[in-house]
Amino acid sequence: MSLCREVVTLQLGHYSNFVGTHWWNLQDASLCYDPDMPPGELQSDVLFREGLTRGGHVTYTPRLITLDLKGSLRTLKQEGSLYSTGQEPSTITWEGQIMTHKESPPAKNSFLQDLDKLDKGGLLVEPDFNTPSVPATHSPGGMVAMDTVNSNLERVHKFYKMEGSVMVWSDFLRLHLHPRTVSVINQYNHEGEAARLEAFSQGETLLQGSVLEDLEDRLHFFVEECDYLQGFQVLCDLADGFSGLGSKVTELLQDSYGGRGILTWGVAPVNHPDSSPIKELYHMMNFALGTVNLANHSSFFCPLTLRGSLGRRPSPSTVFPLVNYDSSLWYHSSSILALALDSMTVSYRLRYNSAPMWQLADALTVSGRKVVCAYGSVPFPIMQGTCLPDALSACGDVLPWKPLSACPELADGRCFGQSVTLKGLDRQRLVSPLAPGIQPSSTLHCARTGEEVLDTYIRSHYPSAPLVVQLVSTPSKLTPPFPQMFSSLLDPQGLIQRHPPTTAAGPAAVLAAPVLTSVQSSSAVGQMLAELQKACVSVEMRRSAPSFLCQGLEAGDLAENLEQLRVLAYHYRDDSGGTLRSSSEEEDDDDVD
Amino acid sequence: MAAVKALNPKAEVARAQAALAVNISAARGLQDVLKSNLGPKGTMKMLVSGAGDIKLTKDGNVLLHEMQIQHPTASLIAKVATAQDDITGDGTTSNVLIIGELLKQADLYISEGLHPRIIAEGFEAAKDKALQVLEDVKVTREMGRETLISVARTSLRTKVHAELADLLTEAVVDAVLAIKKPNEPIDLFMVEIMEMKHKTESDTQLIRGLVLDHGARHPDMKKRVEDAYILTCNVSLEYEKTEVNSGFFYKSADEREKLVKAERKFIEERVQKIIALKNKVCADNNKAFVVINQKGEEKYTFIEKCGNPRSVTLLVKGPNKHTLTQIKDAVRDGLRAVKNAIEDGSVVAGAGAFEVAVADALVKHKPKVKGRAQLGVQAFADALLVIPKVLAQNSGYDPQETLVKLQTEFKESGQLIGVDLSTGTAQDAVWNWQHMKIIFPAFLPLQHGNR
C-alpha cells in the first residue's frame, strides 16, 4: 500500500508567490479527474487537500499558506471564491450610519476573463481563424464530455501574451485557493515609498502578535488534518525583509514540528524595479543573513535564482540555450524556477517508492553543510527520434545543466552528494535500441535502464560522489498561462526538431518539456558562501546604510551572523588534498564536526 | 540636502515652511478620515477592496492598517496608533484626532512667526501638567464586576450596536474574571477566541473550558462524554520518522522495508502505553477516558464545565467572515480594557469630561509658564477639546455650542462634565459614570500624555 505523506507549502513574499503560482499552475495542469485513467506517477494528494464547502461541494485545493504585503493581490479575493456563500454583505453589528468605501475593481486581463468564463460553465470561443477550431466535444452517444478547466485550456491553443499584463502573481493564477491560504500583512506596503519591508530585521520583528497568531491558526488548520505529515516546503524571498520573516517562520516550524522535513528554497528575481546602489546593498545583506538563519532552521536550504551572483555588482543572468526569456520579467524568470522545482521535488511526491523529505535532506546535508545548490537543464536538449544516451553523448564534456543557485560548478568532479532527476522523457526514449550486430557507440548505449544511463553519465563527471537518480516520464504540462518563451526549434513536446520549421507556419506552442535537474552539496557552495561573506564584511554598514541596523539589529548581531556564514562556508572546504575519496571514506567523515 | 539627493536622486526636497505644511496636511488628512468614527454615534466604515474583500470596522487602528499610507508622516502617526493599540487596545481614533489637532493649533501660531521649538517646549510643559491633572481626577476604587462591566461596555458600545455590545460585555468581563489569579498579571492568552460560522445566528458565549476546532478522529466515537479522565498530550501518534538516519541511498527494497518497520514499532509502543494508562485509572470505576491530541473541517469539540478552568474560550458565531472579524476585534479590545482597569485599579470619566477638565486646568496653569511657551500650552489645551467637539458633531449637534455649554457647566459646578449624546447638552459626568456607565480605565488618557 502506498501511503500519502502530506506536505504543507509556505510561500513568503511576492517573488515566492510568482514562483509558487507557476508551480501550482503546473500541478493543476497535471491533475487528472478521469477515474478510468491509471493513477499517475506523482501523487497529487501529497500537495492538495480535499475539502467540503458549506454548500456541500467537494473542493480540491493546495495545502498552502501564502504571505504577501498590503496591496499585492489586485483581482484576487483574499478569501477566494470557492467557499463564498454569495450572500449580500450584511451589517448586523451596527445600527447607526455606515459609510462604504469601495475601491473600483482593477481590470482583469484576458486570461483571467477566460477563467471566469470557464468557471461559469462557458466555453472559450476561438477568435483566431488561422488555427482550425476544435468542435465542441459532444461524444456520439449524446453524452456530453466532462469539460474541465484543464481540458479547455489544453484545447484552446491560445497565446495569451501576458508579458505586459502581469503585474502581480494573481494575474496568472489558474486555480482556486482555500480561504485559509492567502494572508496579507498589513504593516507594510507592496509598492510605493513609505512603509516598505526592506531590511532583514524588519521581517524578523514582524512575526509576533497578530501576524504570529494568524500564521499559527493557518498552520494548525492545514497540519492537523494531515495523517502522515512529512514536512514543509518553504519558498521565501531572499532579497527583502521576507528573508527575516522566513527565518522566524522556519524557526517556528522547527520548534513546533521537529523531526519533519523543512525544505527551504530562497528565491530571488534577477532584478528589482527601481533599484539603486543602496537597495542592492540591502539585498546583499538580506541574502547573507537569510542564508545563515534559514539554513540554521531548515532541513536544507537552497538558493533559487537566475541571478549570476548574490553580490552587489550586476552579473549576467543564467542563459538557457533553448529559452529566450526576458530576465527582467518576474513572470518569465519565475516560470523557469517553477519548472525546475517541479522536477527537483519529485522524490517525495512519488506515488510508489517515494523517499520522504527528510531522507533527501539528510542525504545532502552531512556535517552541517545545510546549504545546497541547484542546477537545471530547462528544457533538456534532446532531438526528435533520438534517445537519452544520444542526447547525453551530444553534450560532450560539459554537463547540460546551468546554475539555478548563483553557484557555478567547479568542474573538479568533487561533490558531497547529489540528487538528480529527469522528468518528462518517454520510457521508450530512455535507452538505445539494441540493433543486432552493431557495436553500441558508447557505454551509455549499452545500459539497459534509464537509471543506469543517467547514473553512468553522472558518474563519469562525478566519479565518487554519492548519487541518487530518479526518472519520471510524466512531463510538466506547459499549458497557459505558462509563458511561451521557447526557441522555435522545439516541437510541442519540447523536443528539438530535425528540420527547423518554415517561417510561414510560425512556431507551434510548446506544451511540455523534458527537464533535468540536480540538487547537490559541493565545494562550489562553500566558495559562493565565502564570496558573499567577504563582500558583506567589506561594507561598513554603520556608515553606508545605518537604517539597516536601526531596526533592532545591532552591529554586533550582524558581525556574529557574518561569522556564522564564514563557519558555514568553512564546512565545505574539501581537505582531501586532491586525492579522490571513495564513498566509504565519505561515510566515516560523517562523524566529524 | 545634497546627501539626500546623492542617496536617492528621485527624492523630493522640501524646505522649512513647506516641509512643515506637508507634515501638517498629512496629519490632518488622517484626522479627517478617522473623525467620523469617534464615539458610540460614530459612523461604521465598510471597506470593499477592488477584488471584493470586505472589512467592517469602526476601530481607528484597523482602519489605519487597511489604508495604504504612502506619506512618511502619516505612517509615523499610524505607528503611534499601533503602539497605543498594542498596550491599551483602545483609544486609537482619539489619538489620531489629538495629534492632528495639536499640529493644527501649532500651525496657527507658527504662521504668525513663532518658532516650532517654542511650541514644542509649551507642549512639554502642558503634558507634565496634564499628567498631574490625570492623577487628580482619576477615581481609584474597588474594581468590582459592576465597574468592570461599565468599562467594557464603554469600549464595546463604540464598536458594535448596543444590544450586541451588552451581550459581549458580560462575556468579556466574566472571561477575564475567570482566568484572573490574585497578585499576578492577567494573561489574556488564557482567553481563547474561537470563531464559528453560522448561517443565521449571531451570538457570543463564554465556555468555561476549551473549544477545539476539530471533531472526533473516527465517526463511531461517542458524541458526548461526561465525567471523564482527560489525557491531553502533544505527541505524534502517527507513523513518522524516528531517529533512524538516512535511508535515501538505500541498497534494496528489503532494506527499505526494514527501516519502515522499525519506524512503526516505535509509535505502536507509544499507543500501548496510553492504553495501559487508561486501564490503570479506569480500572475500578465507570469513568470515561478521552485522549485529546494535537489533531474535518467545520467541526468542534467542547470541553465544558471544568472544575477549575485556568483557560476559557469565547465562542463567536456569525454569518460571514467580516462579521466574525469585526466581533473578534471588538472582543479583543474589550478584554484589554477590562485587564487594564483591573491592573490599574482606577478609572476616569469619559464623554469628553476628562479633556474639558484638563483644558481648563491648563489654561489656569498657563501664567506659571515662562515666556512664549505659554502659547504652546494654550495650543495643547485647545487641541484636547477636539474630543468633546467631535463627539457632539458625530451625534448631530453643533460642536461649538455643546463645548461652550460643557465649559460653563464645568466652571459653575466644579464637577466633571461630559457630553450627553442623546440630548447634546452637558451632563454631570460623575452622575454619568454611576448611571450612564461611560467610563474608561485611567490608563487610557495617560497613554496620550506619555506619547
Side-chain angles (χ1 to χ4, degrees):
Chain A
M1 188 201 86
S2 70
L3 95 195
C4 171
R5 298 178 189 265
E6 300 93 342
V7 169
V8 176
T9 307
L10 285 91
Q11 290 162 203
L12 318 174
H14 203 65
Y15 192 65
S16 296
N17 282 320
F18 260 81
V19 179
T21 301
H22 274 305
W23 145 277
W24 287 108
N25 284 346
L26 292 174
Q27 305 311 316
D28 188 49
S30 63
L31 289 183
C32 177
Y33 297 99
D34 190 346
D36 300 331
M37 293 283 279
E41 291 165 286
L42 296 175
Q43 190 170 29
S44 56
D45 290 348
V46 170
L47 300 170
F48 287 82
R49 67 181 288 281
E50 206 178 282
L52 198 64
T53 67
R54 281 205 294 156
H57 296 286
V58 177
T59 61
Y60 199 54
T61 48
R63 207 175 281 114
L64 165 71
I65 300 170
T66 77
L67 264 59
D68 214 327
L69 302 179
K70 186 159 58 178
S72 61
L73 294 187
R74 266 175 59 88
T75 58
L76 181 68
K77 264 181 91 164
Q78 202 178 336
E79 292 269 295
S81 52
L82 271 187
Y83 285 69
S84 68
T85 42
Q87 288 170 339
E88 280 297 294
S90 55
T91 48
I92 50 162
T93 47
W94 192 246
E95 280 159 347
Q97 283 180 304
I98 292 169
M99 197 190 284
T100 307
H101 299 260
K102 198 166 179 176
E103 203 184 349
S104 57
K108 291 192 171 185
N109 59 35
S110 62
F111 171 71
L112 290 179
Q113 287 171 10
D114 280 357
L115 272 191
D116 281 352
K117 267 187 232 159
L118 287 176
D119 267 358
K120 294 197 182 92
L123 283 169
L124 296 183
V125 205
E126 197 107 353
D128 192 356
F129 296 107
N130 291 333
T131 46
S133 70
V134 186
T137 50
H138 290 280
S139 19
M143 226 174 59
V144 183
M146 250 252 289
D147 269 321
T148 59
V149 174
N150 262 348
S151 61
N152 266 308
L153 283 176
E154 262 173 54
R155 203 176 330 131
V156 181
H157 293 205
K158 186 170 170 185
F159 283 113
Y160 293 94
K161 289 269 176 229
M162 294 171 69
E163 278 72 12
S165 66
V166 169
M167 292 155 84
V168 297
W169 51 272
S170 61
D171 285 335
F172 60 96
L173 178 75
R174 59 173 271 180
L175 72 175
H176 287 291
L177 301 175
H178 190 268
R180 303 240 192 178
T181 287
V182 182
S183 174
V184 174
I185 294 169
N186 271 328
Q187 281 92 324
Y188 293 97
N189 290 331
H190 169 57
E191 31 183 26
E193 289 280 305
R196 299 297 302 274
L197 182 61
E198 286 174 322
F200 181 85
S201 48
Q202 284 176 314
E204 245 188 338
T205 45
L206 200 50
L207 197 68
Q208 52 182 329
S210 61
V211 177
L212 176 64
E213 267 174 51
D214 180 72
L215 179 68
E216 280 179 327
D217 279 353
R218 289 167 196 272
L219 270 176
H220 290 167
F221 173 78
F222 286 111
V223 166
E224 283 170 10
E225 63 179 13
C226 294
D227 286 333
Y228 303 100
L229 178 73
Q230 60 167 312
F232 304 86
Q233 43 186 24
V234 182
L235 288 170
C236 178
D237 279 22
L238 266 195
D240 56 16
F242 272 105
S243 72
L245 181 65
S247 302
K248 285 288 163 191
V249 170
T250 45
E251 190 180 356
L252 172 76
L253 294 178
Q254 195 184 32
D255 288 350
S256 319
Y257 306 100
R260 320 278 172 170
I262 304 168
L263 305 192
T264 305
W265 308 88
V267 299
V270 176
N271 45 15
H272 288 261
D274 54 74
S275 197
S276 63
I278 192 83
K279 281 188 183 164
E280 287 300 318
L281 178 60
Y282 266 58
H283 294 164
M284 184 178 75
M285 284 294 169
N286 291 331
F287 288 147
L289 293 172
T291 302
V292 170
N293 289 282
L294 288 168
N296 227 339
H297 304 132
S298 309
S299 309
F300 81 46
F301 170 75
C302 180
L304 212 52
T305 180
L306 298 182
R307 290 169 66 109
S309 84
L310 295 182
R312 264 196 294 172
R313 247 168 268 118
S315 48
S317 55
T318 309
V319 178
F320 299 92
L322 295 170
V323 183
N324 311 311
Y325 77 101
D326 180 347
S327 65
S328 64
L329 279 182
W330 286 21
Y331 171 59
H332 274 185
S333 60
S334 60
S335 71
I336 296 178
L337 296 179
L339 193 51
L341 200 60
D342 197 20
S343 158
M344 292 187 283
T345 53
V346 153
S347 70
Y348 55 84
R349 298 194 285 134
L350 285 172
R351 188 176 298 272
Y352 302 107
N353 286 321
S354 72
M357 278 184 164
W358 56 77
Q359 291 194 5
L360 178 65
D362 284 351
L364 292 175
T365 60
V366 178
S367 306
R369 292 186 283 260
K370 287 276 202 70
V371 183
V372 296
C373 57
Y375 301 89
S377 175
V378 185
F380 178 65
I382 177 163
M383 292 278 270
Q384 281 176 336
T386 61
C387 58
L388 182 61
D390 296 334
L392 290 173
S393 319
C395 298
D397 289 341
V398 194
L399 282 158
W401 54 56
K402 308 283 177 214
L404 295 175
S405 303
C407 184
E409 255 174 314
L410 296 180
D412 58 357
R414 288 199 221 120
C415 169
F416 303 113
Q418 66 174 321
S419 159
V420 175
T421 310
L422 177 64
K423 186 171 189 292
L425 207 59
D426 275 348
R427 290 255 166 252
Q428 302 93 301
R429 294 181 173 281
L430 293 177
V431 291
S432 159
L434 274 186
I438 300 171
Q439 174 84 23
S441 49
S442 74
T443 44
L444 292 178
H445 289 81
C446 304
R448 279 349 296 154
T449 64
E451 280 83 357
E452 208 182 319
V453 176
L454 205 51
D455 194 277
T456 316
Y457 176 71
I458 306 287
R459 283 195 194 284
S460 70
H461 286 267
Y462 290 99
S464 64
L467 167 73
V468 59
V469 294
Q470 217 117 33
L471 281 91
V472 178
S473 58
T474 327
S476 305
K477 288 189 184 168
L478 310 181
T479 43
F482 199 90
Q484 282 298 329
M485 52 189 182
F486 297 98
S487 148
S488 57
L489 292 173
L490 293 185
D491 72 354
Q493 271 66 54
L495 309 176
I496 303 171
Q497 303 181 43
R498 285 194 173 277
H499 310 288
T502 50
T503 44
V510 176
L511 297 176
V515 173
L516 177 71
T517 55
S518 162
V519 184
Q520 51 179 268
S521 170
S522 71
S523 38
V525 176
Q527 197 164 329
M528 171 192 77
L529 296 178
E531 272 167 25
L532 182 61
Q533 195 260 349
K534 275 195 206 108
C536 290
V537 170
S538 69
V539 185
E540 179 58 67
M541 283 306 272
R542 252 181 301 197
R543 281 181 56 85
S544 349
S547 60
F548 189 84
L549 291 172
C550 70
Q551 312 270 359
L553 181 85
E554 306 282 329
D557 298 336
L558 180 64
E560 194 182 307
N561 273 293
L562 293 178
E563 175 59 21
Q564 281 184 34
L565 183 60
R566 198 188 61 76
V567 173
L568 191 61
Y570 187 78
H571 284 313
Y572 293 84
R573 209 180 43 133
D574 193 349
D575 37 33
S576 59
T579 56
L580 297 174
R581 289 179 294 173
S582 74
S583 55
S584 64
E585 275 170 324
E586 178 74 29
E587 276 164 28
D588 294 342
D589 251 341
D590 292 356
D591 301 331
V592 184
D593 265 338
Chain B
M1 291 300 171
V4 173
K5 278 286 186 198
L7 219 53
N8 180 0
K10 277 189 269 174
E12 287 168 34
V13 179
R15 278 166 200 281
Q17 282 289 323
L20 211 56
V22 170
N23 287 344
I24 290 173
S25 79
R28 299 199 50 193
L30 279 191
Q31 190 192 29
D32 283 342
V33 175
L34 294 194
K35 214 173 184 176
S36 60
N37 285 8
L38 192 72
K41 299 268 169 142
T43 308
M44 178 70 67
K45 301 260 160 76
M46 185 194 284
L47 308 174
V48 186
S49 80
D53 282 321
I54 297 170
K55 190 90 193 186
L56 204 57
T57 190
K58 248 182 108 263
D59 189 319
N61 190 45
V62 174
L63 206 55
L64 285 173
H65 271 145
E66 288 297 318
M67 302 196 294
Q68 284 192 51
I69 301 172
Q70 295 291 5
H71 192 287
T73 311
S75 83
L76 202 64
I77 295 172
K79 277 190 191 133
V80 172
T82 310
Q84 166 89 12
D85 189 69
D86 284 347
I87 299 173
T88 65
D90 207 348
T92 48
T93 304
S94 327
N95 217 325
V96 173
L97 293 192
I98 292 175
I99 295 175
E101 199 65 14
L102 279 172
L103 287 171
K104 178 180 157 192
Q105 296 294 339
D107 191 35
L108 290 177
Y109 293 103
I110 290 167
S111 63
E112 288 170 7
L114 191 65
H115 196 279
R117 203 178 33 123
I118 297 173
I119 291 274
E121 216 172 282
F123 279 180
E124 279 297 315
K127 186 196 85 179
D128 293 342
K129 180 67 189 168
L131 288 176
Q132 275 177 31
V133 179
L134 174 64
E135 286 302 313
D136 295 342
V137 300
K138 81 174 184 190
V139 180
T140 306
R141 61 172 181 170
E142 184 61 30
M143 288 295 145
R145 187 167 180 270
E146 282 310 302
T147 313
L148 292 175
I149 283 190
S150 311
V151 170
R153 185 177 297 145
T154 306
S155 168
L156 288 165
R157 278 207 178 177
T158 65
K159 309 237 159 35
V160 291
H161 69 74
E163 205 182 317
L164 181 57
D166 292 350
L167 182 80
L168 298 181
T169 301
E170 301 233 342
V172 160
V173 172
D174 289 341
V176 177
L177 290 176
I179 58 148
K180 186 181 138 206
K181 288 183 233 163
N183 304 324
E184 269 182 50
I186 295 166
D187 183 3
L188 287 185
F189 282 113
M190 289 294 124
V191 183
E192 174 81 20
I193 305 174
M194 180 72 76
E195 57 182 79
M196 187 193 256
K197 260 191 206 163
H198 200 285
K199 242 191 199 114
T200 51
E201 213 174 347
S202 178
D203 180 22
T204 297
Q205 63 189 111
L206 174 70
I207 313 288
R208 289 172 192 276
L210 294 172
V211 178
L212 313 172
D213 58 354
H214 40 76
R217 198 74 181 92
H218 192 275
D220 290 350
M221 283 177 171
K222 278 188 193 168
K223 295 275 179 285
R224 185 181 181 88
V225 179
E226 277 182 50
D227 190 18
Y229 285 106
I230 301 177
L231 172 67
T232 53
C233 46
N234 184 11
V235 294
S236 176
L237 297 177
E238 313 292 348
Y239 296 133
E240 56 160 336
K241 184 197 183 188
T242 57
E243 297 310 309
V244 184
N245 222 347
S246 189
F248 195 52
F249 299 125
Y250 55 86
K251 302 272 187 309
S252 66
D254 273 0
E255 208 170 297
R256 222 185 121 64
E257 205 49 41
K258 266 184 209 156
L259 280 175
V260 172
K261 265 192 190 143
E263 285 173 14
R264 296 194 165 199
K265 191 161 173 254
F266 183 75
I267 296 299
E268 269 154 24
E269 276 168 10
R270 223 178 233 177
V271 175
Q272 288 301 333
K273 270 190 189 150
I274 292 179
I275 295 172
L277 177 70
K278 188 228 159 190
N279 290 339
K280 199 170 152 195
V281 296
C282 301
D284 26 275
N285 56 46
N286 292 325
K287 288 194 179 184
F289 188 80
V290 181
V291 180
I292 299 174
N293 198 10
Q294 287 247 352
K295 246 318 176 193
E297 214 159 352
E298 315 258 340
K299 283 208 175 69
Y300 297 85
T301 304
F302 290 74
I303 303 164
E304 293 182 85
K305 296 178 188 160
C306 299
N308 182 18
R310 289 289 170 78
S311 156
V312 297
T313 307
L314 283 167
L315 184 68
V316 179
K317 289 185 202 161
N320 46 40
K321 182 77 182 168
H322 61 263
T323 306
L324 284 171
T325 313
Q326 193 205 352
I327 297 178
K328 268 168 74 179
D329 285 344
V331 165
R332 271 203 201 102
D333 290 352
L335 285 173
R336 274 182 294 185
V338 174
K339 171 184 150 87
N340 290 336
I342 293 177
E343 291 183 348
D344 205 48
S346 43
V347 290
V348 291
F354 172 72
E355 284 80 5
V356 170
V358 175
D360 187 68
L362 285 177
V363 173
K364 284 185 188 142
H365 178 67
K366 203 170 75 168
K368 294 178 199 154
V369 176
K370 265 189 209 155
R372 284 178 299 168
Q374 283 188 11
L375 299 174
V377 177
Q378 181 67 48
F380 196 99
D382 291 341
L384 285 180
L385 295 176
V386 71
I387 301 294
K389 278 197 277 190
V390 170
L391 276 178
Q393 193 179 11
N394 285 349
S395 316
Y397 304 109
D398 185 79
Q400 281 154 342
E401 193 189 336
T402 311
L403 182 63
V404 170
K405 273 190 206 162
L406 282 184
Q407 286 175 317
T408 316
E409 189 101 349
F410 175 68
K411 283 218 176 71
E412 281 169 7
S413 68
Q415 282 181 315
L416 292 175
I417 303 291
V419 189
D420 186 335
L421 296 184
S422 46
T423 62
T425 54
Q427 54 165 316
D428 187 339
V430 178
W431 180 84
N432 184 353
W433 60 248
Q434 275 169 350
H435 300 274
M436 298 297 287
K437 323 280 192 201
I438 302 184
I439 46 180
F440 290 112
F443 202 50
L444 199 55
L446 192 71
Q447 282 301 319
H448 291 190
N450 271 339
R451 182 182 56 242

